[in-house]
Amino acid sequence: MNVNKLIIAIAVLLFTTASYAQRGGVNWTKEGNAYYQNVGGEIITVTLPKNERKTVISRSLLTPPNGSPLAVRSFQLTEDGTKALIYTNTKRVWRQDSRGDYWVADISKNTLTKIGKDKPASSLMFAKFSPDGSKVGYVSGHNIYVEDLATNTTKALTSDGTSRMINGTFDWAYEEEFNCLDGFKWSPDGKSIAYWQIDATKIKNFLMINNTDSIYSFNVPVEYPKVGQDPSSCKIGVVDVETAKTTWLAVPGDNIQHYIPRMEWIPNTNEVILQQLNREQNESKIFIASLTSGTVTEIYKENDKAWIDPLDGFTWLNGNKEFILESEKDGWRHLYRVSKDGKKQTLINNGPYDIISVNLIDEKNNLVYFMASPTNATQKYLYKTRLDGKGKLQMVTPSVLPGTHSYSISPNGLFASHSYNSSVVSPVNEWMNFVTLNPLTMEGSITNQLAKQQAPKNKVEFFKVKTEDGVEMDGWMKKPDNFDATKKYPVVFYVYGEPASQTAADVFGAGRNSLYAGDMAKDGYIYISMDNRGAPVPKGAAWRKSIYKNIGVINIRDQAMATKKLLETYSFMDKDRVAVHGWSGGGSSTLNLLFQYPEIYKTGIAVAAVANQLTYDNIYQERYMGTPFPSTEAYVKGSPITYAKNLVGNLLYIHGTGDDNVHYQNAEMLINELIKNKKVFQMMSYPNRTHGISEGAGTREHLSLIYTKFLKENCPPGAR
């Protein structure tokens, strides 16, 4: 229910294959001394450190007979580099353009061949080469197919696929909440394919209504498992490519009351490893299934009082005898080396800090590189430590560059792309020699680029505020231009507040409101955002998981008490002009703040909010709120409609009627409650727009205008 999840899911969609590794947005070659780029309709390599360019796939090769050059969305190469699989003509499935057309460019033969010619246009999903490059597997119409490139023949490996019996990909909830899109994996020997089968035949449709695209309205059904409804059934099959016979893995447990968010082949084996979560998502088990013996063995189990996140995947060490596991079981997000049988576990990094993300496992040099920020939760830096668990934490990023960093490190650890930004630094990037940690050229260095930037006159200020409950929160504040501390200014709070997104980060764009038509600082607003308990910031598991069964309560009190403290501390904040706004989970927080603390917040603008937590999908809401059995008390207590009767201030509510994520029924339920309690408010609905409310000419401009007009009228700008 967070717009930011779109960014994550798009990153998951992009291919990673044996022929090149995509780390942080850079498509590295297998060797790691070069990277791929799509330039001018051609695919080239750029070899470091001298930036030598070489065409790998020419524009002419990417041009079908009697056609136009293919618009390359992404590509992958075979292990030997003689063929490329081109993804083009893409279409959206929910939020990602995960279906399209695929073409094989044979570089050695200079030929271009379309895959799945007998299938509808833009219907193929997640096509990938077999390990030896002789075949291409893909999903179309919820079935898995394999095409032999030598004979140009196609074989269906599954035949029972429908919109509800889903092979090789996922349903709405798995995609949205587990970032599961590509649902099949070639075995290392290329003789079989492991795949997910999602049985959504018992999931009810949520019916949206399209009133504008036809004289007669029509339903738009979305298979959507709501809170309290059983999830889709999930199981893993391994299909023999030669016989098209599927063997189902006998994973223990009810496959309706469990999820399988991750599954992979163990390299160079005939074994599959998978993670299973129970429905409450507070118990995680890891199983290894042997296709040779037919056994399925539990090798790892972990429980949590709140929830356990899906793994990012499995990285193998020591000749595939150990793998890396990320866990919060000691109170911090740490890395462990786990033996294949699960009997030995070695803590890699010990200390009161969280791993934010892993950048490189350098087994040769006994090092692991990762993003972390032990002392400032608003920032991100690169650190390293020994892979054997015997090292100390070492900061790699220069401490003279405070802010948010990201790194894309080549697979061989020789080069890296280093990106940096902060609230006062627009994004800059440099190519590095990762061994010496020096830029490849001084001209292209971050230091040189920063010398050309002008520091903003009105900087965003970062602060910490401690509430009367003893909770210390990070936040940023952008004051008006020509600020005068002797005067009073209106204050606008930007909030999200739920476990899916951080808002008070030290990034470029902090202090800017993209919904505001104009310049808030110039017009005389103070703009603030703070991260409450439950926000996904590197402050330890206790901070993040304190929101369990308390969404709509603990996060709302944290925000309100922090706002109260700021208003008491700073005389230049006008207590009579306090506004709050947010989108999705932030819209829910906005409503709750306006309704639960009307003495503090006078104006609210909520977009696409979950007004009733019982209407949202079961994977997200049950993860953070527990299942609604035997009682829905926590859900009711945290839902904005419960407090709508308390509205005193000014409310603008905005929602798209075609929102398949947070359904428009939330708007109508909220409206009914407000009407019942004779509460006056303003409402803007956008016909057939989805959760991002971006479709259609003029939509975002209109949204910006109505947002700004309402804010200025009800929370007037300027000093007093």
Side-chain angles (χ1 to χ4, degrees):
M1 69 198 260
N2 172 23
V3 175
N4 291 337
K5 286 194 294 188
L6 172 61
I7 300 171
I8 300 172
I10 288 174
V12 172
L13 171 64
L14 297 175
F15 297 106
T16 300
T17 73
S19 52
Y20 71 88
Q22 184 173 74
R23 300 167 186 268
V26 176
N27 292 345
W28 294 100
T29 60
K30 179 176 60 176
E31 296 78 12
N33 294 319
Y35 60 94
Y36 295 99
Q37 279 191 328
N38 181 7
V39 179
E42 296 188 327
I43 296 172
I44 68 168
T45 56
V46 181
T47 302
L48 301 174
K50 296 183 179 180
N51 290 329
E52 298 164 327
R53 300 160 73 91
K54 178 183 176 182
T55 298
V56 178
I57 306 176
S58 67
R59 182 181 177 88
S60 61
L61 179 52
L62 290 173
T63 305
N66 303 316
S68 301
L70 300 178
V72 180
R73 170 65 173 80
S74 63
F75 68 96
Q76 57 182 290
L77 293 171
T78 53
E79 182 72 18
D80 62 8
T82 62
K83 301 185 190 76
L85 188 59
I86 309 298
Y87 182 44
T88 185
N89 195 27
T90 64
K91 304 293 182 184
R92 280 209 315 182
V93 176
W94 311 125
R95 261 152 292 291
Q96 286 74 54
D97 55 339
S98 54
R99 61 185 176 92
D101 294 331
Y102 287 86
W103 297 72
V104 171
D106 192 314
I107 300 168
S108 59
K109 296 180 181 178
N110 199 39
T111 58
L112 186 66
T113 306
K114 189 176 184 181
I115 298 296
K117 292 180 181 178
D118 60 331
K119 302 295 185 292
S122 299
S123 72
L124 273 60
M125 304 176 72
F126 314 116
K128 55 184 76 75
F129 284 119
S130 60
D132 66 0
S134 66
K135 302 177 182 66
V136 172
Y138 61 86
V139 172
S140 182
H142 302 99
N143 280 311
I144 302 171
Y145 297 85
V146 167
E147 187 160 327
D148 189 300
L149 299 180
T151 62
N152 291 321
T153 56
T154 302
K155 176 187 292 186
L157 299 186
T158 66
S159 58
D160 59 345
T162 67
S163 61
R164 292 306 189 93
M165 187 65 71
I166 303 166
N167 297 304
T169 183
F170 298 91
D171 65 352
W172 187 94
Y174 259 80
E175 177 176 322
E176 177 72 17
E177 306 304 355
F178 288 143
N179 291 326
C180 289
L181 291 95
D182 182 351
F184 76 93
K185 317 280 184 181
W186 280 99
S187 64
D189 62 10
K191 294 181 180 179
S192 56
I193 287 175
Y195 67 97
W196 277 266
Q197 184 182 80
I198 305 295
D199 182 353
T201 54
K202 295 182 180 179
I203 305 299
K204 294 180 180 179
N205 277 333
F206 184 83
L207 300 179
M208 300 185 296
I209 299 178
N210 185 320
N211 282 311
T212 63
D213 292 346
S214 172
I215 299 251
Y216 288 92
S217 63
F218 58 90
N219 288 133
V220 180
V222 180
E223 173 260 310
Y224 191 105
K226 289 183 178 278
V227 165
Q229 303 296 308
D230 282 344
S232 302
S233 171
C234 172
K235 59 183 179 178
I236 303 294
V238 178
V239 59
D240 185 284
V241 173
E242 182 65 29
T243 65
K245 179 182 178 181
T246 291
T247 299
W248 298 105
L249 301 187
V251 181
D254 185 335
N255 59 10
I256 294 179
Q257 297 301 324
H258 289 86
Y259 301 108
I260 301 178
R262 301 292 179 259
M263 177 273 289
E264 299 174 6
W265 289 92
I266 299 176
N268 302 318
T269 72
N270 200 27
E271 296 174 317
V272 168
I273 186 169
L274 60 89
Q275 180 191 24
Q276 181 196 67
L277 294 172
N278 63 337
R279 177 168 177 175
E280 290 78 8
Q281 299 173 67
N282 57 13
E283 180 179 81
S284 173
K285 295 179 180 179
I286 296 177
F287 294 94
I288 290 180
S290 169
L291 276 300
T292 302
S293 66
T295 59
V296 179
T297 305
E298 179 186 317
I299 64 162
Y300 181 88
K301 181 179 178 180
E302 184 178 330
N303 293 88
D304 194 283
K305 293 180 180 179
W307 71 85
I308 297 174
D309 292 315
L311 298 171
D312 286 336
F314 300 90
T315 301
W316 290 88
L317 305 170
N318 191 18
N320 301 325
K321 296 177 183 177
E322 298 175 278
F323 61 91
I324 300 291
L325 178 75
E326 196 171 291
S327 172
E328 296 181 335
K329 61 186 177 182
D330 66 356
W332 299 91
R333 188 174 294 128
H334 284 156
L335 298 177
Y336 296 80
R337 295 177 71 128
V338 181
S339 62
K340 188 177 176 181
D341 61 7
K343 294 180 180 179
K344 182 181 179 182
Q345 299 176 25
T346 303
L347 179 62
I348 293 175
N349 58 312
N350 188 18
Y353 66 90
D354 288 306
I355 296 282
I356 297 174
S357 61
V358 176
N359 293 70
L360 179 68
I361 303 293
D362 184 358
E363 187 174 11
K364 179 181 178 181
N365 293 302
N366 191 31
L367 292 171
V368 54
Y369 293 86
F370 52 87
M371 304 307 298
S373 192
T375 60
N376 188 333
T378 70
Q379 301 175 340
K380 292 182 183 180
Y381 302 95
L382 186 68
Y383 286 82
K384 68 179 179 180
T385 193
R386 285 176 52 154
L387 198 53
D388 59 12
K390 299 178 180 179
K392 295 181 179 180
L393 183 67
Q394 299 179 61
M395 189 173 182
V396 178
T397 303
S399 59
V400 295
L401 299 175
T404 298
H405 296 258
S406 62
Y407 292 79
S408 175
I409 308 171
S410 65
N412 58 14
L414 296 182
F415 301 100
S417 171
H418 170 209
S419 299
Y420 167 56
N421 75 101
S422 74
S423 62
V424 296
V425 174
S426 61
V428 289
N429 182 82
E430 68 181 359
W431 290 97
M432 300 173 55
N433 179 322
F434 198 65
V435 177
T436 64
L437 298 179
N438 293 320
L440 295 184
T441 65
M442 288 309 300
E443 181 181 354
S445 69
I446 283 178
T447 302
N448 185 61
Q449 295 176 66
L450 292 180
K452 300 176 183 179
Q453 289 196 15
Q454 292 185 346
K457 295 179 180 179
N458 183 2
K459 295 182 180 180
V460 174
E461 300 174 17
F462 283 80
F463 64 87
K464 293 182 182 293
V465 56
K466 182 172 285 188
T467 72
E468 62 187 52
D469 300 323
V471 178
E472 186 178 74
M473 295 165 55
D474 288 300
W476 51 248
M477 179 190 308
K478 181 68 176 290
K479 293 177 180 175
D481 295 345
N482 303 314
F483 174 73
D484 184 345
T486 65
K487 296 182 178 180
K488 291 186 178 294
Y489 296 88
V491 191
V492 179
F493 289 88
Y494 166 52
V495 65
Y496 183 74
E498 296 199 11
S501 185
Q502 174 185 14
T503 63
D506 188 359
V507 296
F508 190 70
R512 294 174 175 82
N513 184 352
S514 63
L515 293 179
Y516 188 82
D519 186 327
M520 290 185 71
K522 184 179 180 180
D523 289 348
Y525 285 105
I526 298 173
Y527 195 36
I528 295 175
S529 191
M530 302 175 290
D531 280 319
N532 50 258
R533 283 176 293 173
V537 297
K539 290 186 174 183
W543 171 277
R544 291 187 293 274
K545 294 182 177 180
S546 60
I547 201 171
Y548 182 62
K549 293 188 177 182
N550 275 303
I551 291 179
V553 179
I554 194 173
N555 55 328
I556 303 307
R557 178 166 177 82
D558 279 359
Q559 289 284 338
M561 293 303 98
T563 299
K564 178 183 176 184
K565 183 70 172 182
L566 293 176
L567 294 174
E568 291 171 349
T569 303
Y570 299 109
S571 60
F572 54 77
M573 295 184 180
D574 190 340
K575 296 180 181 179
D576 294 325
R577 289 184 292 167
V578 178
V580 59
H581 79 99
W583 195 304
S584 192
S588 307
S589 294
T590 296
L591 293 174
N592 267 322
L593 289 168
L594 198 63
F595 298 161
Q596 293 186 40
Y597 296 92
E599 72 279 9
I600 298 176
Y601 302 94
K602 312 303 182 183
T603 298
I605 303 175
V607 186
V610 176
N612 181 351
Q613 291 185 24
L614 291 168
T615 69
Y616 201 57
D617 80 72
N618 52 10
I619 295 180
Y620 180 97
Q621 212 67 43
E622 292 180 6
R623 176 192 301 153
Y624 302 125
M625 293 295 287
T627 55
F629 315 117
S631 171
T632 60
E633 180 182 356
Y635 286 81
V636 173
K637 189 176 180 181
S639 293
I641 60 170
T642 301
Y643 310 97
K645 60 189 176 185
N646 299 330
L647 176 64
V648 175
N650 313 295
L651 169 63
L652 170 62
Y653 188 78
I654 300 170
H655 213 128
T657 68
D659 192 335
D660 60 277
N661 185 345
V662 179
H663 298 144
Y664 186 70
Q665 72 176 155
N666 282 275
E668 298 197 339
M669 287 180 173
L670 178 65
I671 290 168
N672 271 342
E673 198 64 23
L674 291 167
I675 291 172
K676 182 176 73 175
N677 289 281
K678 301 177 179 62
K679 299 299 179 180
V680 177
F681 64 99
Q682 291 191 30
M683 168 77 187
M684 180 65 214
S685 64
Y686 284 91
N688 300 326
R689 272 62 165 193
T690 60
H691 194 53
I693 312 184
S694 60
E695 302 85 357
T699 296
R700 289 313 288 259
E701 293 85 352
H702 184 272
L703 176 55
S704 180
L705 290 172
I706 196 169
Y707 171 100
T708 307
K709 184 174 186 290
F710 184 85
L711 182 65
K712 286 184 174 180
E713 288 178 350
N714 294 284
C715 183
R720 290 179 179 174

